[in-house]
Amino acid sequence: MHRREEKLAEFGRLLDVLDELRVKCPWDAKQTNESLRPNTIEEVYELADALMADDKDNIRKELGDVLLHVIFYSKIGSETGDFDIADVCRSLTDKLIFRHPHVFGDVEANDAKTVSENWEQIKLKEKGGNKTVLAGVPSALPALIKANRIQEKARNVGFDWEERHQVWDKVREEVAEVAEEMEKGNQHDLEGEFGDLLFAVVNAARLYGVNPENALERTNRKFICRFNYLEAEAKRRGVDIKDMTLAEMDEIWNDSKRLER
């Protein structure tokens, strides 16, 4: 069997299995779009964890879990007569062809930046597509990811710094405004200034080719690893971490940093 035929056969087998589960499994039979939604979010985050760890086995597993949810929603759609998996695949394929005129048409695009800029312009022209540049940013996105997407979309229509180093003036300006607001003591305004500062830092990361979500998650994981070492070392010494001085904790913390090298 050719590999393409094998892929189609396995996809068909998956559809058949879900059809049977939907009828014969009490849990699967009672699921709705609303009941599946929290599980879908969890599965996407589990996939994100596997991708961050570059764990190939887990990536394969979690991709399967996410695919199951795509098929499950499509199955529910077929039961209500709204759409089925063929409609989902067809609309996606049509959209990919329409949004890649540099591949399936006669538009020139020789680098990823041009492709991205064209993508936003095409989406604005699509029938039933986004009516404004920022309309396609989901409101439920986590704030850090949302800030990055907002800035990317604005960039794709030309709203960006002329030179990327200019962003640091903005970052310094926002730091100064945070410090100024701290002196005033208005918590609401202080929160707003911290938001402006974070937005500017996200902008800087984007301009220098760094994904801010991935960067922060790397630091989160690094902090967890070092803090776990601190806790374990305190336990080994027979000391409650809450009773340690900051200097004692710093000493162990620095040891953990040296062990990472």
Side-chain angles (χ1 to χ4, degrees):
M1 183 183 291
H2 294 299
R3 190 63 179 160
R4 177 182 172 80
E5 293 173 347
E6 181 183 351
K7 292 174 184 176
L8 292 173
E10 288 298 335
F11 190 69
R13 179 167 169 249
L14 177 58
L15 294 177
D16 290 341
V17 167
L18 185 59
D19 285 346
E20 192 162 356
L21 289 174
R22 186 68 170 161
V23 173
K24 297 181 179 179
C25 173
W27 187 90
D28 289 282
K30 74 174 187 178
Q31 297 310 307
T32 65
N33 286 340
E34 292 75 19
S35 68
L36 284 173
R37 181 177 176 275
N39 302 76
T40 306
I41 294 170
E42 181 178 342
E43 295 298 352
V44 171
Y45 275 110
E46 288 178 0
L47 172 59
D49 278 346
L51 291 167
M52 194 72 186
D54 196 26
D55 184 335
K56 300 299 192 298
D57 286 340
N58 253 339
I59 291 172
R60 173 180 51 79
K61 170 182 170 294
E62 298 302 342
L63 281 171
D65 291 343
V66 171
L67 177 59
L68 171 60
H69 281 248
V70 172
I71 293 174
F72 213 139
Y73 289 118
S74 300
K75 176 65 177 174
I76 293 171
S78 71
E79 293 168 354
T80 59
D82 295 316
F83 59 86
D84 61 16
I85 190 65
D87 297 316
V88 172
C89 291
R90 185 182 304 107
S91 64
L92 174 58
T93 302
D94 290 346
K95 181 168 67 176
L96 288 173
I97 292 171
F98 182 74
R99 291 186 181 178
H100 291 80
H102 55 287
V103 176
F104 302 104
D106 55 7
V107 172
E108 291 284 335
N110 298 317
D111 56 71
K113 182 175 182 292
T114 304
V115 171
S116 183
E117 290 171 352
N118 288 345
W119 184 278
E120 294 300 335
Q121 295 296 332
I122 291 168
K123 280 167 45 173
L124 289 172
K125 296 175 184 175
E126 278 180 344
K127 182 180 179 181
N130 299 332
K131 304 303 181 187
T132 66
V133 173
L134 301 181
V137 180
S139 60
L141 276 179
L144 187 67
I145 299 174
K146 185 190 291 186
N148 195 50
R149 287 298 292 132
I150 288 170
Q151 293 166 9
E152 287 177 338
K153 284 181 172 291
R155 174 205 65 194
N156 288 336
V157 294
F159 189 77
D160 206 358
W161 300 97
E162 291 182 357
E163 300 291 339
R164 65 181 185 178
H165 66 82
Q166 294 172 322
V167 73
W168 296 113
D169 289 335
K170 185 62 175 175
V171 172
R172 284 187 284 268
E173 175 188 325
E174 297 299 348
V175 169
E177 290 181 3
V178 167
E180 181 181 337
E181 206 57 56
M182 288 175 68
E183 294 295 324
K184 296 178 182 177
N186 185 311
Q187 193 65 25
H188 179 269
D189 291 345
L190 180 60
E191 182 181 273
E193 294 300 342
F194 264 110
D196 292 346
L197 173 58
L198 290 170
F199 196 84
V201 171
V202 168
N203 216 348
R206 175 186 63 82
L207 287 164
Y208 283 83
V210 174
N211 183 294
E213 172 69 18
N214 292 347
L216 183 57
E217 180 57 18
R218 284 183 62 179
T219 297
N220 288 340
R221 290 172 183 243
K222 183 166 56 179
F223 185 93
I224 290 169
C225 183
R226 291 174 182 177
F227 198 85
N228 286 345
Y229 179 87
L230 170 60
E231 282 188 304
E233 183 62 17
K235 185 176 181 180
R236 189 188 69 80
R237 297 182 184 186
V239 179
D240 189 323
I241 192 172
K242 295 192 296 293
D243 297 329
M244 297 178 71
T245 66
L246 187 57
E248 290 171 330
M249 287 192 280
D250 276 343
E251 178 190 348
I252 299 173
W253 186 270
N254 289 330
D255 284 342
S256 73
K257 289 166 65 174
R258 284 191 287 271
L259 290 172
E260 291 171 1
R261 297 171 186 167

